[in-house]
Structure formats: C-alpha cells, structure tokens
Amino acid sequence: MKIIVIGSGGREHAIAKTLLQSPQVQQVVCIPGNGGTARLKRCENLPLKIDQFQAIADYAKTHAIDLIIVGPEAPLALGITDALQSHNLTVFGPTQAGAQIEASKAWAKALMSEASIPTAASAVFTDETAARAYLQSQGAPIVIKADGLASGKGVTVAMTLEEANAAIAEAFAGKFGSAGQKVVIEEYLTGQEASILALTDGETIRPLISAQDHKRIGEGDTGPNTGGMGAYAPAPVVTPELSDRINQEILLPTIKTLKKWEITYRGVLYAGLMITPEGDPKVIEFNCRFGDPEIQAILPLLETPLETLLLATAQGKLAQQEITWKPGACACVVAASDGYPGSFEQGFPITGIEVAEAQGAIVFEAGTSLNDNRPVTSGGRVLGVTGVGATHDLAFDKAYQAIASIYFQGLYYRRDIGHRVRQKQSQ
Ligand code: AMP
Ligand code: GLY
C-alpha cells in the first residue's frame, strides 16, 4: 500500500512510524511532515500546505495512493475529505459535516442533547450582554468555551465570575477571531478525565484502548492548558464496566444520531470524558481526529496492523475487523520548548534521540525540522518520549530514563506524568 498522512505533529510521526512497521506498506508520504517523518525509511515529506486540496488530489492520483489519513482537525473542518472523495480517493477522516462535532461546540452540544448523551449543562450565546447575564445567574466556577476551533486555547475554566467575565469579553473582542463570536457557557465538572479514541465507519464503532492526557503545563496539574504534556494507556479509571457504559451511553448514540442527520462519519470519534466522583462518564468535548499525545501512548500497544484498520474504516468495512492489543502499558512524556504554551524560541539542535531509542524507548517527533539533516526544535511540543512496559511504572521508568538522555536548549518536561497510576514519582 501507498499511504499519504496529512499533518506535521507527533501524532502524524507516530502514525507514519506505525504504518511502516507493516510489510504491506510500501511507502508513506507525509504532507508536510516534520523532521521525524523526513528521517523515516520508505517515508518522504511533500511540502504542500494542508489546504491545497487540488494539489494533494493530483499527487494522490498520479502516484496511485491507496489511502489518505488526515491527522489534524483543521483540514477536516475545511472539507478536505469531501474534496478528496470527489476525486474517488479513499480518505480516513470525517467529511466537513461530520467534523462539526469538533469545529462547533454548539453543534456538538445540540447533537448530545438530541442523543441524550450525558454532558455538562450549557447554554450558547452570540450576544455578550446576554452571556454576562447568564453568568451572573449561574455563578462560579464555570466554563467558557469559544464555539469554533481555537487550537486548544478557546476554553477557560473560570474559578471566579471575574475570570469568567474576562473570558467572555476576550472572546467577543475577537481573541479567537470568528471562533469566539459564539460562546458556550458550561457547568463546571469535577472528576478524572479520560480520552476514548474510537474508530468508526459510521455504522460500526471500535474503541481503542483508553488513555489519559495531562493538559496543564505545570506539575500537579497546574498552570495554563496545553495541547497535552504526556499520556498513558490504558487508563485504569476506565474499568471494563465503565467502558461498556461509554459505548452504550455515548459512542453508539452519537453514531446513531450522526446517521439520522445523514452524516456518514468515517474516521476517529474522540470522546474527551470526565468521570464524575459518582463514577458517571460525561462528555467534555468531542474531537474528529486522534488525540495527541494520547495516540502516541496507544499505537505502541496496537497489535493489528494500523493500515488494515484505517483502510477498513475509510471503506465502511470496519465490522469485519477486530482490534487486538499487546499486553502491558505505554507512557508518553512530552519534551517541550521552555515558554510553551506561550512564546518560545526555536531552531535549537536536539541530541540524544538515538541514545534514548537504544535504551528501548520510542521517540516520536512533533515540533522538529531538519537543519543540515540534523533535528532541530521547531515547535512548542518537540518530542513524545514513549516507553512500553509490563506495568505503568515500568513504562514510565523507560520513558523517563530515555528523556534524561535527550537534550536541547530550553527542554522542559513534567516529571509527574502518570501520577495517578504510578507507585513512585520520577527524580
Ligand atoms: P477542551 O478544549 O474542551 O478539551 O477543554 C480543555 C480542558 O478544559 C479539558 O481537558 C478540561 O480539563 C477542561 N474543561 C473543559 N470543559 C470542562 C467542564 N465543563 N468542567 C471542568 N473542566 C472542563
Ligand atoms: N490531547 C488532547 C487533544 O488532542 O485534543
């Protein structure tokens, strides 16, 4: 098979690296890819922009590409799947209509309401005065969300009304562009978060193993939200019983309602969940693509060839596929640039990746590019240093030992990733 992977993050490097482990995969082309994908054997980067749908379609047709996997949400929300499908190409990723589940929080809330899916109570506003009046009636803590895509920065968990009002003012003042001209104000939920990434072809849904992300920049889950500073899989908080409830109460009703709305949804349905102190799963958000870094902690445990699963999903043949997993646990610790999620410097040489991999870790590259064929930093989240082990502790030991071998100027990582599942903490 020849496969295109759209995107340039840790998720896409992990997908490409996993695909290339299969003898069935002859070649992977990453658009535009990163420093990690550029150094993989049988893989090349193609410097197109992810919104150049026609150029991507032309390339795919000329090179007899069998499958196009879309990594990030932005091109999905712009309709890349619709555009490529109109050229008879096989695409993993929902259409523009389906991608609304992530691209409009108000739309996702309407779907959840129709499907009676458990989620935080909420209200949607396009008018600042009405939003403020509602805030006043609800009190704090409360959560303010820009409706549209805001690169993970559109959510404010406000502990005071003052913070909540400031978030409303910022959104309507245009901090998130048009994404913030509509806001969702939501009940504040407490509990433990979990990520369920499921493959679906619109009929069948196959959840991957559960994962837990660590959103905050600081140890002890403090400071601003990021794209995710580390993850592990499986997440023991998702017991087999809970997993069953998530299927019955959340995933299946979602697919059913999408179908009722005449959307054939093929790709990833990612449910970001809060497991409340009562033990009930509630949806915090849906995403239309693999979570990152969660997928970096999931793929190393996948036994079934990835290309088989994603092709079956894209072709509407997922019912014929079972997914099997390796035993054990996987831990991913993100090495970030100092300053992230705020501003940071880039272009610093990265050393020690080979040493880390020689120790048995897997290093997925996110914000890297090549300078003279050597990796340099080019983003906020730079690497996902990943370990597999028989237990969560052993997996984290491997990831943390490996990250100690890696150096770039300004390297920052959290030493407490996995604190909920580890017996001991890292040095
Ligand atoms: P999102 O971008 O929707 O994933 O939100 C980012 C983070 O904000 C989530 O991972 C949660 O930690 C937090 N969050 C979002 N919605 C709520 C909520 N209703 N209650 C409490 N925390 C929330
Ligand atoms: N790690 C969270 C996300 O991918 O949205």
Side-chain angles (χ1 to χ4, degrees):
M1 278 174 78
K2 289 190 194 167
I3 303 175
I4 287 179
V5 177
I6 309 269
S8 60
R11 167 181 46 215
E12 288 75 25
H13 188 216
I15 291 172
K17 213 164 166 161
T18 307
L19 290 171
L20 287 162
Q21 285 166 3
S22 167
Q24 303 301 322
V25 177
Q26 286 162 262
Q27 201 202 3
V28 172
V29 177
C30 292
I31 300 178
N34 62 24
T37 56
R39 303 200 313 291
L40 290 174
K41 291 204 178 74
R42 292 185 283 131
C43 184
E44 64 181 89
N45 286 352
L46 184 64
L48 290 174
K49 297 220 168 63
I50 54 185
D51 59 359
Q52 287 181 288
F53 302 161
Q54 185 63 46
I56 295 172
D58 289 344
Y59 180 91
K61 291 237 136 342
T62 335
H63 292 81
I65 296 293
D66 301 288
L67 173 66
I68 301 170
I69 300 166
V70 186
E73 62 279 14
L76 292 168
L78 287 174
I80 191 170
T81 300
D82 312 68
L84 298 176
Q85 280 177 344
S86 73
H87 292 272
N88 287 323
L89 292 160
T90 306
V91 187
F92 177 87
T95 57
Q96 188 168 35
Q100 289 179 93
I101 205 157
E102 173 165 3
S104 167
K105 292 189 191 281
W107 193 89
K109 281 287 186 187
L111 183 137
M112 286 187 257
S113 165
E114 164 118 4
S116 303
I117 288 170
T119 184
S122 67
V124 180
F125 296 93
T126 48
D127 174 74
E128 186 171 348
T129 314
R132 284 176 185 278
Y134 180 78
L135 265 188
Q136 208 58 39
S137 72
Q138 296 296 306
I142 195 154
V143 182
I144 318 293
K145 301 184 172 184
D147 177 62
L149 295 180
S151 312
K153 297 184 182 113
V155 174
T156 304
V157 178
M159 299 318 285
T160 62
L161 271 183
E162 212 178 344
E163 275 176 79
N165 275 307
I168 295 276
E170 277 178 356
F172 283 107
K175 184 174 177 193
F176 309 111
S178 61
Q181 295 309 304
K182 198 189 258 184
V183 297
V184 177
I185 303 183
E186 199 174 89
E187 170 198 3
Y188 172 72
L189 298 175
T190 55
Q192 210 183 130
E193 288 181 49
S195 303
I196 300 294
L197 281 50
L199 301 180
T200 179
D201 61 3
E203 295 284 340
T204 302
I205 187 142
R206 295 258 187 267
L208 306 183
I209 49 172
S210 57
Q212 194 168 72
D213 187 13
H214 299 67
K215 289 254 162 134
R216 304 297 188 100
I217 187 69
E219 286 166 19
D221 295 321
T222 54
N225 266 326
T226 67
M229 293 303 292
Y232 60 83
V237 65
V238 183
T239 58
E241 296 73 39
L242 193 58
S243 176
D244 208 46
R245 283 189 61 194
I246 293 165
N247 255 324
Q248 297 303 326
E249 296 173 23
I250 296 168
L251 301 178
L252 289 168
T254 304
I255 293 306
K256 203 168 142 199
T257 306
L258 285 165
K259 230 173 111 174
K260 188 166 145 204
W261 289 4
E262 297 183 343
I263 294 170
T264 307
Y265 190 105
R266 291 184 176 166
V268 183
L269 178 65
Y270 161 156
L273 304 176
M274 188 72 91
I275 314 302
T276 66
E278 296 75 39
D280 298 320
K282 290 196 175 183
V283 175
I284 293 180
E285 61 164 352
F286 281 124
N287 292 316
C288 62
R289 36 92 196 161
F290 289 122
D292 194 5
E294 290 96 318
I295 196 63
Q296 301 184 47
I298 291 175
L299 288 179
L301 294 175
L302 179 68
E303 201 169 56
T304 317
L306 181 63
E307 76 283 3
T308 309
L309 291 175
L310 303 192
L311 183 65
T313 305
Q315 292 177 329
K317 297 180 180 165
L318 192 56
Q320 299 165 17
Q321 296 294 327
E322 293 300 327
I323 310 183
T324 57
W325 299 95
K326 298 172 195 163
C330 185
C332 169
V333 179
V334 170
S337 299
D338 186 31
Y340 173 79
S343 60
F344 52 83
E345 285 182 65
Q346 48 190 24
F348 298 123
I350 306 167
T351 58
I353 293 177
E354 295 76 13
V355 181
E357 294 210 315
Q359 293 169 353
I362 312 165
V363 180
F364 295 124
E365 300 189 23
T368 73
S369 57
L370 295 188
N371 187 353
D372 241 354
N373 250 347
R374 286 166 201 268
V376 297
T377 64
S378 66
R381 293 188 295 172
V382 178
L383 307 172
V385 182
T386 304
V388 173
T391 63
H392 287 93
D393 271 318
L394 291 171
F396 274 105
D397 283 349
K398 201 174 270 180
Y400 275 112
Q401 272 161 22
I403 209 169
S405 306
I406 290 174
Y407 175 78
F408 55 84
Q409 194 177 316
L411 185 160
Y412 166 78
Y413 62 92
R414 274 179 63 170
R415 286 166 167 78
D416 69 339
I417 300 298
H419 57 86
R420 287 190 184 81
V421 289
R422 289 162 72 198
Q423 308 298 321
K424 54 180 183 178
Q425 301 297 302
S426 176
Q427 44 309 41

